[in-house]
Amino acid sequence: MLPDGDEQHMPRLAIVGAYCGPALDTHSFFCLAKRDASVFVYHSRVGDQTREVNGTLAVWRQPQP
Amino acid sequence: MRASFASRAAARVRARSSVEDGIASKVECLLEALGADPAFADAVLGDLTEEHARRAARDGARTARWWYVGEALRSAPHLLASAVRHASWRRRARLSAYIAAVLLAPAVAVIALFGGNGLPAQLVADMGSAADIVVNNVRPVQLAMRVLDAAGHVLPDTGVRYRWSAGVPVPVSSTGVVTCTQPGDATVHASLGPLTTRLTLRCRPVLDVRAFRMLNIVVGGPVAEVPFLAVDADGQRVTQLRGQITVEDSSVATVNVTAEGKQLLRARAAGSTALNVRIGDRDAHMEVHVYERASTPEGIRPGQHLAVPVQVRGGDMRQWRLAASPELY
């Protein structure tokens, strides 16, 4: 998840159905999806619920070896 | 056009009164100086003089004079060939000297005008600004100077000598190898013969360059400053830096320097590349991934980079499905 300016207020990210570990920067993950996986982006339940948060979901599928 | 020597000489004497004495005598002197065979030269000039007289009577003096000069010039190659064939070795040497002078003079003039270098006139630092040299190296580094002549041509910099004169005591060799053993400013004199230039050596040794190992940017998105931190032996940030930032594949991303010296990373096309930051003798490497905008990541193919803008309010949630894959996401 890439912040759109404000790193404190960006959407939360969850990945279900894949094995994931931290990648090379703070908001990234490397994931292996042996089966179909799901990506969820949601608003934090903490803080101002009326405030819209922005970000960019960046997905890179590595090239075939 | 050839006539007997006797009649030719007589005609020449007569014609001389009406011919431009100046021209004829100059041509004679030139031929004599070039070493042409006197008899051959006399025969040629005699013929010319006779014809000149006829033309002067028929066409007028001015026309005849131009004809005479033209014919005299046209005869020059034959006269030179005659001089080479018949002259003594001394005259041949003199002739060679004349020819060499005629050929060399314009060549020397052209070389002096366009390609010639003069004596050293200026010593300019070849690192950093005019008289300030920032050194971030921890290991010994060679100072570089540019030697220029008065016209600004670059001359070889061999022979430039260096001497530490004031400031923080850092070793400076006479050949310009400096070791910034501590931070601070030093004054160094560079000299070449009578030329001397004072340099301010700003020792800012960098022990480490810290950076993210991965940068993610979007085509058409905001331009980002290359995020890195150069630190000294105490872990403190060093702000005066001299180095280089390079991108391996400039079709994916480029680095542009602003007027304020900021290094901005710009996305060019979706893909992956590497970025290298080198400060002094330390460097940091980063992977750069550039994403293209899309409405969904579903259906992403191997090697593709997609960026999906997301906006959520409290209670909102969005979901996408990614296909099973032998490759990592």
Side-chain angles (χ1 to χ4, degrees), chain B residues 222-305:
Chain B
V223 176
E225 196 168 350
V226 178
F228 72 92
L229 185 66
V231 295
D232 62 14
D234 299 325
Q236 297 299 308
R237 182 178 185 179
V238 179
T239 52
Q240 279 183 289
L241 302 174
R242 197 169 63 82
Q244 206 173 17
I245 298 180
T246 52
V247 177
E248 200 171 271
D249 186 348
S250 58
S251 69
V252 173
T254 53
V255 173
N256 305 106
V257 183
T258 66
E260 299 82 34
K262 287 183 178 174
Q263 311 273 344
L264 301 179
L265 184 64
R266 183 184 296 275
R268 312 281 301 185
S272 301
T273 187
L275 183 143
N276 185 58
V277 179
R278 183 165 185 83
I279 306 294
D281 40 38
R282 299 289 189 265
D283 48 15
H285 304 277
M286 290 172 243
E287 280 184 20
V288 177
H289 295 284
V290 177
Y291 299 82
E292 58 185 322
R293 289 194 191 280
S295 57
T296 174
E298 291 181 356
I300 187 172
R301 296 185 304 275
Q304 253 193 319
H305 294 72

Side-chain angles (χ1 to χ4, degrees), chain B residues 84-266:
Chain B
V84 170
R85 275 200 305 274
H86 302 295
S88 64
W89 68 267
R90 187 173 290 179
R91 284 192 166 190
R92 282 182 184 174
R94 192 165 50 171
L95 185 60
S96 302
Y98 280 128
I99 291 171
V102 167
L103 294 178
L104 281 178
V108 168
V110 168
I111 290 170
L113 191 61
F114 296 108
N117 292 331
L119 293 170
Q122 223 182 335
L123 274 177
V124 182
D126 205 15
M127 313 161 73
S129 63
D132 263 26
I133 297 179
V134 175
V135 175
N136 298 120
N137 300 58
V138 175
R139 292 197 285 264
V141 63
Q142 173 71 56
L143 298 178
M145 298 294 292
R146 285 200 307 158
V147 183
L148 307 174
D149 68 8
H153 297 124
V154 179
L155 304 176
D157 64 349
T158 48
V160 178
R161 289 291 171 264
Y162 299 83
R163 178 176 56 84
W164 176 94
S165 65
V168 291
V170 291
V172 179
S173 79
S174 63
T175 56
V177 177
V178 61
T179 310
C180 280
T181 50
Q182 58 183 302
D185 297 344
T187 304
V188 172
H189 282 88
S191 57
L192 177 65
L195 294 176
T196 299
T197 297
R198 197 181 74 158
L199 307 168
T200 302
L201 192 65
R202 303 203 182 279
C203 277
R204 305 288 186 271
V206 167
L207 227 67
D208 192 17
V209 180
R210 297 172 185 166
F212 288 125
R213 291 168 61 197
M214 189 163 81
L215 290 173
N216 297 295
I217 53 177
V218 180
V219 176
V223 176
E225 196 168 350
V226 178
F228 72 92
L229 185 66
V231 295
D232 62 14
D234 299 325
Q236 297 299 308
R237 182 178 185 179
V238 179
T239 52
Q240 279 183 289
L241 302 174
R242 197 169 63 82
Q244 206 173 17
I245 298 180
T246 52
V247 177
E248 200 171 271
D249 186 348
S250 58
S251 69
V252 173
T254 53
V255 173
N256 305 106
V257 183
T258 66
E260 299 82 34
K262 287 183 178 174
Q263 311 273 344
L264 301 179
L265 184 64
R266 183 184 296 275

